[in-house]
Structure formats: C-alpha cells, structure tokens
Amino acid sequence: MSRIAYVNGRYRPHRDAAVHIEDRGYQFADGVYEVCEVRDGHLVDEPRHMARLNRSLSELDIRSPMPAGALSFVLRETARRNRVHDGLVYVQVTRGVAPRDHAFPGGEVAPAVVVTAKPINRQIGEANAETGFKVVTVPDNRWDRVDIKSVSLLPNVMAKQAAKLKGANEAWYVDADGFVTEGSSTNAWIVDGEGRLITRSAEHGILRGITRAVVFDLARRDGLEIVERAFTVDEAKQAREAFVTAASTVVMPVVQIDETPIGNGAPGSIATELREKFHTMVHLGTN
Ligand code: PDD
C-alpha cells in the first residue's frame, strides 16, 4: 500500500507528494513540527500537541495554517488513510513559499502544511524497552530557543548519528557547565537513590515534552516525587535508573551512559512501571 501524505490541501501518494523549491522550510528551516503518537487508532494527547504547535508558531510569528478543528481532522484522516493503528503522525508547518530572502516575506503568504503518518510495530518498542537504550553524551551546540519545536534539527541529526556510530540509541546533550539538558529527540530523566524522579526544568534549555508532562501527571497520581533540576553526567552515571521520554519512545529505560552501566545494567523498575502505566494517563482522541 502506498503511503499517503497531506500536502497543502491535498492527499497524495508519497511518490507524487512534493513541496515547492522555495518553501521557506526547505530553504531556511523556517518552520515547526509536532509528532503525535497513534495508539489503538487514537491520537495520544492531541490537545497538548496542538497547543504546543500553536505556541511554536506564535513564537516565530507564523500564521496558523487552518482552524484547529480542520487540522485535527487532517491528522486523523492522514492516520486513517495510511491505516495507522499504532504509529506516529507528523505535522509540519512552514512560513510558506516566497522568493528567497531571509526576512519574512511581505503580503499574505500562506503557511505550508505537510502531514504524514507511519505505523510502528508495538512489539519492537516493547522489545527495546526490555533491552533498554544506550546513551552517549555530546556537547549541547543548539540555539537558545529549543523550547520552539522547530524543523531546524541539524544539531539533533548530528547528535543522533554520533550515537548510532557508537552503537547507542540516543545522545544526551551536555551544557557548558556539565549538566545534561535533554536528548536529541527525547527528554532526559534519572531516578535517585530515594526513588525521586529528576529532570531538568523546562523553563530553559529543553523542549517542554508532552510525554514528560504525562509522567508528571502519573507521578502526581501515584505519589512519586519529581524534582525539577539539572543533573550532571556523573550524577546520571551513578543514578539508580535513567530513562528518556518522547512521543516516539514513550518512557524508555536507559541502561548505559557512555561506557557506564546504569544501576545493574538492566531497565529500572520505576521506568518500566511508568512505561506500563503511561497510556492510562493520556488523552485519547475520539477517532
Ligand atoms: N521529538 N526533546 C526533543 C529535542 C525532542 O525532539 C522531543 C520530541 C522531545 C520529547 O517531546 P514529546 O514528549 O512531546 O514527544 C524532547 C520528536 C518525537 C521527534 O522529533 O521525532
């Protein structure tokens, strides 16, 4: 079955789906995106993803491409047309098409929208969670506005590739003071000796992850303590557990950082339990 993409008002097979060569996303990475999990045919936490998309758009002064209800329909319809029962929906909005010039185009340039959907094999995710992720650390070389989910992801691409070349699954960025910020496409967490969950504050230096927010909800419900503070690589290596969160991985235990095994080198019980309970806490759309 050919995959179907939504591109600026039309559903097209991928082989025919294209954007203009002067799309500002293509030329300047002048755009934003969201990745939303699809689980049992439902969009997971769509309202929060759409709220973050709107915030990213407004921080960059990009117009909203369509009313919220219409975009919600397109996300569902793209998942449906691709028969995605479990997987991910990707939505990208750029400032639109205009002759190349760094400053914003004048006049009424319509934002450009692409939505794709792909299935994910749930068993592979579960198998990964049983093995756990290996993480490498890399200097954080991103711009200051990582709170905006921008498609300008070159540092993230380079970090993930560095991890891959070392046989790892994720790279954790480390700031100039030696503190972990977040992963190349995930938020970073550790669990201390008292069972407290520690993750960097989202006030600065990281993306305010939706999966991260759900873990906050879960912790509140189940009486786990969360401490929002930065932690060093050394502290992480000595932690009882470590894990990452993202729509694409949900809660994923980390078993190794650089060459150091975490805890006993197996996925931690708190991370595993959070993973198991995760979907009891999320908002599931009605499609
Ligand atoms: N990435 N930090 C970064 C840098 C990310 O790119 C992501 C998500 C997260 C986690 O956010 P959330 O829980 O809302 O997915 C944190 C997506 C999945 C991606 O780029 O594919």
Side-chain angles (χ1 to χ4, degrees):
M1 190 191 86
S2 166
R3 286 176 64 197
I4 305 290
Y6 172 90
V7 185
N8 296 325
R10 294 217 169 100
Y11 295 95
R12 289 273 174 85
H14 274 212
R15 63 175 171 275
D16 303 326
V19 293
H20 195 281
I21 55 166
E22 287 194 310
D23 186 300
R24 290 181 60 95
Y26 180 57
Q27 289 189 326
F28 295 114
D30 188 1
V32 300
Y33 76 105
E34 279 295 326
V35 177
C36 194
E37 188 195 3
V38 183
R39 172 117 171 157
D40 292 328
H42 299 279
L43 293 181
V44 173
D45 278 320
E46 186 203 345
R48 281 169 155 168
H49 282 282
M50 290 306 104
R52 188 172 63 185
L53 179 69
N54 286 329
R55 178 181 181 277
S56 295
L57 289 168
S58 96
E59 289 296 309
L60 296 179
D61 260 327
I62 299 177
R63 273 199 288 137
S64 183
M66 61 182 96
L71 186 56
S72 177
F73 176 81
V74 171
L75 298 184
R76 277 151 225 283
E77 185 62 12
T78 307
R80 191 189 70 76
R81 287 187 187 223
N82 287 283
R83 301 202 193 115
V84 174
H85 185 72
D86 295 302
L88 298 172
V89 172
Y90 174 84
V91 50
Q92 171 174 321
V93 181
T94 72
R95 200 178 302 279
V97 174
R100 186 175 183 279
D101 185 8
H102 287 66
F104 296 177
E108 289 287 289
V109 172
V113 189
V114 169
V115 181
T116 59
K118 70 171 180 191
I120 282 189
N121 185 330
R122 237 153 99 168
Q123 271 133 20
I124 292 175
E126 292 319 312
N128 283 338
E130 277 171 32
T131 318
F133 266 19
K134 291 181 182 166
V135 162
V136 296
T137 56
V138 296
D140 198 337
N141 57 357
R142 300 173 300 163
W143 75 327
D144 202 43
R145 294 306 308 276
V146 294
D147 57 304
I148 299 171
K149 204 161 169 55
S150 133
V151 295
S152 175
L153 288 173
L154 206 41
N156 311 63
V157 167
M158 300 306 282
K160 191 78 94 184
Q161 182 63 13
K164 189 177 169 187
L165 289 176
K166 289 190 174 155
N169 311 87
E170 177 60 307
W172 277 7
Y173 290 118
V174 181
D175 70 16
D177 300 317
F179 292 97
V180 173
T181 53
E182 62 179 332
S184 69
S185 63
T186 58
N187 287 123
W189 299 73
I190 58 172
V191 180
D192 72 6
E194 276 76 59
R196 288 185 290 241
L197 313 185
I198 300 168
T199 195
R200 194 179 174 108
S201 158
E203 289 311 310
H204 188 249
I206 69 168
L207 180 75
R208 193 180 285 276
I210 306 300
T211 318
R212 178 182 178 279
V214 175
V215 170
F216 273 70
D217 294 344
L218 265 173
R220 211 168 292 129
R221 188 191 70 183
D222 293 353
L224 290 169
E225 191 182 340
I226 294 188
V227 184
E228 273 187 286
R229 67 162 172 84
F231 55 85
T232 63
V233 177
D234 278 344
E235 187 182 2
K237 286 180 178 170
Q238 283 156 33
R240 184 198 282 186
E241 297 185 26
F243 62 94
V244 292
T245 55
S248 49
T249 55
V250 192
V251 178
M252 182 60 72
V254 168
V255 295
Q256 187 178 310
I257 299 172
D258 294 327
E259 294 308 315
T260 307
I262 305 307
N264 63 2
S269 57
I270 291 181
T272 302
E273 220 168 286
L274 287 170
R275 181 180 179 85
E276 283 162 9
K277 292 178 180 167
F278 184 81
H279 290 101
T280 64
M281 214 52 213
V282 297
H283 175 278
L284 293 176
T286 50
N287 55 323

